[in-house]
Amino acid sequence: GSEVALAVQAQKILEQKGKKARVVSMPCWEQFEKMPRQYKDEVIPADVPVRLAVEAGVDQGWHKYTGTFGAVLGVSGFGASGKGARVLAEYGFTPENVVQQALELLENRSI
């Protein structure tokens, strides 16, 4: 969805900071789960323990894919209204915040 462009923008910023990042779009959990294990391991490698899911909707369910050292940037409440860009920014859906979240995850993982 709309999060893909945001994730790609953040990826570019992370690369400028010398951090490798990969963007995976998963529009349908059910279809992903039907795929062979080898495919799922290629898409979400086990040797990449730091993962950040970016979901402009409810964050519920994404923790399954982010793992022990990952996090979800999502919405856990409801009731916000306003212009789309402003509401997204208020929830932290900006390239800068995604980068900050990713860097914090990497820093905490290296401790």
Side-chain angles (χ1 to χ4, degrees):
S2 62
E3 301 90 349
V4 175
L6 173 61
V8 170
Q9 289 176 315
Q11 177 190 34
K12 290 177 182 176
I13 296 168
L14 285 165
E15 285 180 359
Q16 292 171 354
K17 295 179 177 288
K19 304 295 183 185
K20 291 173 67 174
R22 155 185 188 160
V23 175
V24 173
S25 176
M26 189 183 305
C28 181
W29 294 339
E30 291 82 7
Q31 288 300 317
F32 182 75
E33 291 301 332
K34 290 178 183 177
M35 301 304 288
R37 168 62 45 203
Q38 181 180 357
Y39 172 81
K40 292 191 277 189
D41 290 343
E42 288 175 21
V43 174
I44 305 175
D47 64 347
V48 179
V50 178
R51 304 174 191 155
L52 176 62
V54 180
E55 172 57 60
V58 177
D59 60 4
Q60 182 178 3
W62 283 105
H63 297 281
K64 174 180 181 179
Y65 302 103
T66 58
T68 304
F69 301 107
V72 179
L73 172 58
V75 179
S76 58
F78 64 93
S81 63
K83 295 187 180 204
R86 181 168 181 198
V87 172
L88 287 172
E90 290 291 326
Y91 277 116
F93 294 101
T94 64
E96 297 79 16
N97 188 51
V98 173
V99 167
Q100 179 182 339
Q101 297 293 319
L103 292 174
E104 287 177 9
L105 285 172
L106 289 168
E107 183 179 309
N108 290 337
R109 174 65 174 125
S110 64
I111 292 176

